[in-house]
Amino acid sequence: MKLTRRDFSRLGSMAALASALPAAKAQNHSSSQRKFGWCIVGLGRISMGHFMPGVDVSRTGKLTALVSGHHEKASRQAAMYNLPGGAIYDYTEFDEIARNPAIDGVYIALPNSMHAEYTIRAAKAGKHVLCEKPMATSVEDCRKMIEACQKHNVRLMIAYRCQYNTLHLKAMHLIRSGQIGKVQGIESAFGFNIQPTFVLDGVRLPEWRLDRKLSGGGPLLDVGIYALNASRYLTAEEPVEIRGYSSVIDQDGRFKQIEENDAWNMRFPSGALSSCSTTYGANGMNFFRVYGSKGTIEMNPAFSYDGMHLKAQLANGQRIDEPEVRRDPVDFTTQADYFAHCVWNREEPKTDGQEGLRDMMLMSQIYTSAGMKAL
């Protein structure tokens, strides 16, 4: 979980759209070669609204196939991106992607409980995998995903987009370089007031995140994972102690299968303490604060698709007040370009399967501590 100065420089250069890959590394892939071909698995809010537009403006990638159970929706999306005939697959014919040489990798944006199955099937098809977080809904499934990708010699990356975001990288650099002294404590939270239904492509649908069979759990797996992962990459440590709590306050029918609120405390080897929370019952929860012995760092909002805002008070008296000037879907473009870079240069992604597995193990501990079933 450590980020070196070299890593910071490399990833920082990738955060800008015009220089998504480090110059020296980009030379390993000639501009005359074809772009990285993406197959989108699951046409939902994040894929259609963010990742697909991000790939469309990327330096390295292009959309080459879609997997969906809704042919009409897929046909409309295919027309928008000028995809060729035969580029649409139904889930029943997913394994046929193995025969399509235009597909280099898949982006899995399905409900959480389906991540493992389609990651493993994609690996068997010889396709590299960028899987949305959470990696899966159980520790066992995460391990199976890692094993399948290793067995079939394909790259596996978990879409922790904040770890590639310019301001998050800057916050990590300020901490690593000692500019706020030693980290004493972290506060972080992310949540929103979930509704029972949502509109997608003009159709109102039931919210799958409220269905435990699809989501695997409540807000912890969905948005609380941002606060959890941030505590780990901000400290560059793994927690040695963790205590969790959960509750359901609103008895309005939304939370029959999952919890509404989660909170947890962590202690790290250095002695740094972290206090995190997440909710499906309130808006406005979107920040992190790092308290150092000689300064502070705050980001609010911290985990949005755009509009993040970094503030800091450094040990030398300097103040930082830096709103994000980039706009969505730049983080998704950066992810796509970075993943292509890793595949072409045979490098292990920074947020690989082991990173996803570590978060799943910690979330399982939080649930166990809170008196719920382990993941």
Side-chain angles (χ1 to χ4, degrees):
M1 203 57 204
K2 292 183 178 179
L3 185 73
T4 65
R5 184 179 298 276
R6 181 175 177 273
D7 292 330
F8 178 79
S9 298
R10 179 166 61 89
L11 294 171
S13 67
M14 290 165 46
L17 187 58
S19 57
L21 298 177
K25 295 291 185 180
Q27 291 172 3
N28 294 340
H29 182 78
S30 170
S31 59
S32 64
Q33 291 178 266
R34 71 174 178 85
K35 290 188 173 184
F36 188 92
W38 285 98
C39 173
I40 308 301
V41 186
L43 297 181
R45 288 166 284 191
I46 196 166
S47 58
M48 293 194 300
H50 306 283
F51 189 79
M52 291 165 67
V55 169
D56 196 43
V57 296
S58 72
R59 270 182 53 185
T60 64
K62 68 175 181 178
L63 300 174
T64 55
L66 306 174
V67 179
S68 174
H70 303 279
H71 188 77
E72 290 186 6
K73 177 171 64 175
S75 295
R76 288 194 296 272
Q77 292 295 312
M80 285 177 58
Y81 293 99
N82 298 313
L83 296 187
I88 300 174
Y89 297 85
D90 187 88
Y91 291 108
T92 60
E93 55 187 11
F94 176 81
D95 300 324
E96 295 297 316
I97 68 172
R99 297 180 174 85
N100 189 341
I103 299 173
D104 296 302
V106 302
Y107 171 67
I108 297 179
L110 296 164
N112 306 338
S113 63
M114 302 170 73
H115 288 182
E117 176 187 350
Y118 283 91
T119 292
I120 293 169
R121 290 171 68 178
K124 289 179 179 178
K127 307 302 181 183
H128 303 282
V129 180
L130 172 58
C131 180
E132 267 302 332
K133 35 64 51 197
M135 183 174 174
T137 55
S138 73
V139 170
E140 180 182 4
D141 277 351
C142 289
R143 290 182 172 140
K144 289 179 179 178
M145 293 162 71
I146 293 170
E147 291 172 3
C149 291
Q150 289 176 340
K151 178 180 178 179
H152 296 282
N153 196 30
V154 299
R155 293 284 179 260
L156 171 61
M157 174 173 154
I158 310 304
Y160 287 105
R161 61 181 174 80
C162 288
Q163 290 206 40
Y164 305 97
N165 173 270
T166 305
L167 292 185
H168 282 259
L169 288 168
K170 184 167 185 175
M172 284 185 258
H173 173 67
L174 293 172
I175 295 169
R176 303 289 189 278
S177 58
Q179 295 188 59
I180 63 166
K182 295 181 179 180
V183 174
Q184 306 295 316
I186 294 176
E187 296 175 351
S188 186
F190 193 25
F192 66 98
N193 198 337
I194 199 168
Q195 300 303 307
T197 63
F198 68 97
V199 176
L200 178 66
D201 200 35
V203 179
R204 184 165 291 280
L205 302 168
E207 178 54 77
W208 64 264
R209 298 180 211 187
L210 297 173
D211 184 340
R212 180 174 287 276
K213 290 182 179 180
L214 295 175
S215 65
L220 176 61
L221 275 74
D222 181 27
V223 286
I225 191 173
Y226 284 90
L228 173 63
N229 196 251
S231 293
R232 293 178 52 238
Y233 61 70
L234 290 170
T235 60
E237 295 183 289
E238 299 298 338
V240 294
E241 185 178 357
I242 191 164
R243 296 181 182 179
Y245 311 87
S246 70
S247 70
V248 174
I249 296 174
D250 294 312
Q251 304 295 328
D252 53 16
R254 289 178 294 170
F255 305 108
K256 294 179 179 179
Q257 299 183 38
I258 62 169
E259 77 280 8
E260 182 178 18
N261 304 292
D262 296 291
W264 63 100
N265 299 320
M266 296 184 287
R267 181 173 63 85
F268 293 88
S270 64
L273 303 176
S274 177
S275 176
C276 303
S277 59
T278 184
T279 185
Y280 271 164
N283 293 316
M285 186 183 284
N286 184 353
F287 68 90
F288 71 69
R289 297 187 186 95
V290 183
Y291 301 93
S293 58
K294 298 180 181 179
T296 60
I297 295 174
E298 177 180 3
M299 194 176 294
N300 189 351
F303 308 113
S304 308
Y305 292 135
D306 57 23
M308 299 181 194
H309 195 157
L310 176 68
K311 293 183 179 181
Q313 173 69 58
L314 306 183
N316 62 4
Q318 178 186 357
R319 291 182 179 272
I320 294 174
D321 188 341
E322 188 173 339
E324 188 171 46
V325 295
R326 307 176 316 149
R327 290 292 179 266
D328 181 48
V330 173
D331 281 347
F332 293 88
T333 301
T334 301
Q335 277 191 120
D337 283 335
Y338 174 69
F339 187 66
H341 159 81
C342 289
V343 170
W344 288 333
N345 295 284
R346 298 182 180 181
E347 294 182 2
E348 198 64 30
K350 176 171 173 269
T351 55
D352 59 8
Q354 293 295 334
E355 179 75 349
L357 171 61
R358 282 190 286 270
D359 272 348
M360 187 58 59
M361 294 173 69
L362 290 170
M363 290 189 292
S364 184
Q365 290 181 46
I366 292 169
Y367 272 171
T368 300
S369 178
M372 295 185 289
K373 182 179 178 181
L375 297 172

